Amino acid sequence: MDFIQYRHSNLTAAFSHRGAVETSHTSANSLTIRSPCNLVSATSQQSPTTSECPDSEKNPKNCWAFPIEMADFQLHEGRHFLQIPGPTNLPDRVLRAMHRPTIDHRGPEFATLTHSVLSRLERVFGSSGPVVIFPSSGTGAWEAALVNTMSNGDRLLMYETGQFAHLWRGVADRLGIDVEWIEGDWRHGVDANAIATRLSEDKERRVRAVAIVHNETSTGVTSDIERVRAAIDNAGHQALLIVDTISSLASIDYRHDEWGVDVTVGGSQKGLMLPPGLGFNALSEKALQASKSADLPRSYWDWSAVIEANGAGFFPYTPATNLLFGLDEALDMLFEEGLEAVFLRHARMARAARAALSAWGLENFAVLPSEYSNSLTAALMPKGYDADELREAILTRFDMSLGTGLGKVKGKVFRIGHLGHLNDLMLTGTLCGVEMGMNLAGIPHRAGGVDAAMRVLEETR
Ligand code: PLP
């Protein structure tokens, strides 16, 4: 007996491959297959077996069993809308750039690629110093930032902006770093005054670094990095400043050098319009000096080995070559548009999304307009309604993914990602999906959110 697993968009292809002459579906979780022997209709309620096939005795090969949960798959009738705040939509240009044979990572063609990528990546960070690339997720880049700068017994001052600050703290805790944690309410950014107070109390100078998240992806709140730098300087403290820009890099204005940041942590899967898989550390001279004496154990994450190999255009390990092809293309795209224009485009998208939110009568989770994120908006659900049920209705009916609430705001907020490869119609389509989804799911709201967003886009073009 043949057991076949069908999932997602491979569904039709899989049936064709097995000899079905025709497939069609009538809703997201119902499928009809005309096989040579039979007509089978499968829905999430029904999993036909071979015995139900009238032809099973004569022609058993043509009769299949379906040990599958039909509700498991999602049929795509057009493009899926990936509107989570990362990973983001991949431009066709980036996909095509990666869709080519892998090259020798020790050959001359590769060295040209490395130099092209590194010199331009520095500009995206606003940095004149080295940027270290790791084949890793953002979490790896967090770890790299810590193990290259911290020593046993050092204290790390962190601020609770949301779930990602929590997760980063977890990395520091597991490395045995002594974390001093400033609690926040998740709805506001980093309080620079609180940083200044803690640092001025640090008479023994045990705080080695301050680590904060620029754009908290779990809440849609952006913090003022310049103010934090000023707070450190005004306290007369030598602490390094380490900043996570995973959901702001290449979408919200950011200036590593100008704002006096020592280590900037980045990732490929958001503003850079790439798949997940590359982690970045941009470094200041002070961070490089600190890494020489930092004594936490490190091997794979050691900056010095990467920087040395990069000089000749190579890496001390097998790099993620095809992601680097994609990065090269994404950098072309960013500089063709111009970084300033990229930031303005994101600011417009964010304004339009917020206009929709307030027309619907939904509350922005971020409290202060000066801290509203330009790369995502987190919407607070009306009391008694579950954000994940709304998200599920939108996914099932409109094939659009929105960001879930993370950690303590699970079920309370949903997040609209509006970063990366995105234009006016993609955003308005997204907002249509939200508005129609709220109608479908019976979420109390006012009509007119999409109109309000369209007005902002028309006025600001
Ligand atoms: N920091 C921020 C702000 C993020 O948004 C994320 C992931 O979304 C991370 C860190 C962790 O990155 P990763 O999931 O790639 O390890």
Side-chain angles (χ1 to χ4, degrees):
M1 189 191 297
D2 283 330
F3 283 84
I4 314 162
Q5 291 277 347
Y6 303 102
R7 283 186 170 264
H8 306 284
S9 53
N10 291 335
L11 187 71
T12 309
F15 272 108
S16 311
H17 178 70
R18 303 305 295 255
V21 290
E22 200 182 309
T23 62
S24 62
H25 57 271
T26 47
S27 75
N29 57 5
S30 149
L31 176 80
T32 301
I33 311 119
R34 281 174 208 280
S35 78
C37 74
N38 191 15
L39 178 97
V40 179
S41 173
T43 68
S44 50
Q45 278 79 43
Q46 179 193 11
S47 293
T49 63
T50 48
S51 60
E52 287 173 33
C53 172
D55 234 7
S56 63
E57 289 197 354
K58 251 194 328 192
N59 217 349
K61 271 199 163 164
N62 285 334
C63 303
W64 308 322
F66 297 89
I68 47 176
E69 271 296 317
M70 296 299 284
D72 268 2
F73 47 74
Q74 182 77 30
L75 297 172
H76 301 290
E77 291 142 341
R79 280 220 173 193
H80 173 69
F81 266 56
L82 183 65
Q83 297 308 143
I84 58 175
T88 59
N89 293 293
L90 300 180
D92 291 347
R93 275 178 65 175
V94 168
L95 281 170
R96 280 195 296 272
M98 292 187 301
H99 191 236
R100 49 176 286 208
T102 299
I103 58 173
D104 174 9
H105 60 286
R106 302 191 200 286
E109 202 186 336
F110 191 89
T112 308
L113 173 68
T114 305
H115 291 311
S116 162
V117 158
L118 286 177
S119 58
R120 295 184 303 155
L121 194 55
E122 286 171 11
R123 286 166 54 200
V124 176
F125 282 92
S127 158
S128 53
V131 176
V132 178
I133 304 178
F134 293 105
S136 79
S137 77
T139 304
W142 271 343
E143 177 159 342
L146 299 180
V147 294
N148 281 282
T149 52
M150 306 289 293
S151 295
N152 255 315
D154 278 349
R155 187 168 287 166
L156 179 67
L157 183 58
M158 302 189 87
Y159 194 99
E160 182 193 18
T161 42
Q163 181 68 3
F164 288 101
H166 264 281
L167 293 174
W168 197 3
R169 183 208 168 135
V171 173
D173 284 341
R174 287 187 292 278
L175 289 169
I177 293 169
D178 176 12
V179 174
E180 184 171 345
W181 183 244
I182 305 180
E183 285 184 2
D185 68 358
W186 287 40
R187 299 192 69 175
H188 294 83
V190 175
D191 176 358
N193 293 331
I195 301 269
T197 307
R198 294 295 180 100
L199 290 179
S200 49
E201 287 163 7
D202 179 32
K203 303 288 180 228
E204 293 167 25
R205 293 295 186 256
R206 284 200 51 213
V207 175
R208 183 78 181 135
V210 175
I212 50 172
V213 178
H214 180 214
N215 186 67
E216 182 45 83
T217 325
S218 61
T219 62
V221 173
T222 307
S223 290
D224 186 333
I225 302 303
E226 274 184 293
R227 289 196 59 208
V228 175
R229 175 78 261 172
I232 299 172
D233 295 344
N234 294 342
H237 204 289
Q238 288 306 305
L240 297 165
L241 177 57
I242 308 179
V243 179
D244 170 336
T245 61
I246 286 177
S247 60
S248 53
L249 187 71
S251 48
I252 301 175
D253 189 12
Y254 183 80
R255 306 170 192 202
H256 173 91
D257 283 358
E258 199 181 314
W259 295 348
V261 181
D262 294 298
V263 186
T264 299
V265 175
S268 52
Q269 72 269 31
K270 306 204 188 222
L272 284 173
M273 308 175 288
L274 292 167
L278 295 178
F280 310 110
N281 282 178
L283 316 179
S284 72
E285 186 50 39
K286 192 170 155 194
L288 275 169
Q289 288 307 321
S291 73
K292 293 190 178 139
S293 55
D295 71 8
L296 280 187
R298 59 188 195 258
S299 166
Y300 181 75
W301 302 115
D302 190 9
W303 293 336
S304 62
V306 184
I307 292 169
E308 195 186 325
N310 281 174
F314 303 111
F315 287 84
Y317 44 72
T318 310
T321 308
N322 289 54
L323 281 172
L324 295 175
F325 289 148
L327 177 56
D328 207 30
E329 187 70 23
L331 291 168
D332 281 352
M333 291 179 69
L334 288 172
F335 290 115
E336 281 163 22
E337 185 178 353
L339 278 182
E340 264 312 299
V342 170
F343 300 146
L344 284 172
R345 176 165 55 82
H346 283 82
R348 269 183 83 236
M349 298 288 156
R351 265 189 66 192
R354 291 193 295 265
L357 221 64
S358 56
W360 288 324
L362 294 188
E363 197 179 332
N364 191 333
F365 189 69
V367 172
L368 299 177
S370 59
E371 295 181 336
Y372 287 161
S373 167
N374 283 346
S375 59
L376 76 135
T377 299
L380 197 56
M381 289 297 282
K383 274 213 165 37
Y385 292 87
D386 187 325
D388 286 339
E389 285 174 18
L390 170 65
R391 287 176 49 255
E392 196 191 326
I394 291 172
L395 176 65
T396 308
R397 180 64 184 82
F398 304 115
D399 200 7
M400 176 166 78
S401 299
L402 295 171
T404 186
L406 296 170
K408 73 176 189 186
V409 293
K410 179 139 193 71
K412 297 197 174 83
V413 304
F414 66 91
R415 296 170 300 145
I416 304 171
H418 36 74
L419 74 164
H421 187 55
L422 194 78
N423 60 27
D424 291 12
L425 293 188
M426 289 162 85
L427 180 75
T428 45
T430 300
L431 298 172
C432 278
V434 176
E435 190 160 328
M436 290 193 293
M438 288 197 292
N439 291 333
L440 188 77
I443 308 298
H445 68 285
R446 293 191 299 262
V450 177
D451 284 342
M454 279 174 10
R455 273 198 302 281
V456 169
L457 293 174
E458 282 159 10
E459 283 160 14
T460 56
R461 189 72 202 158

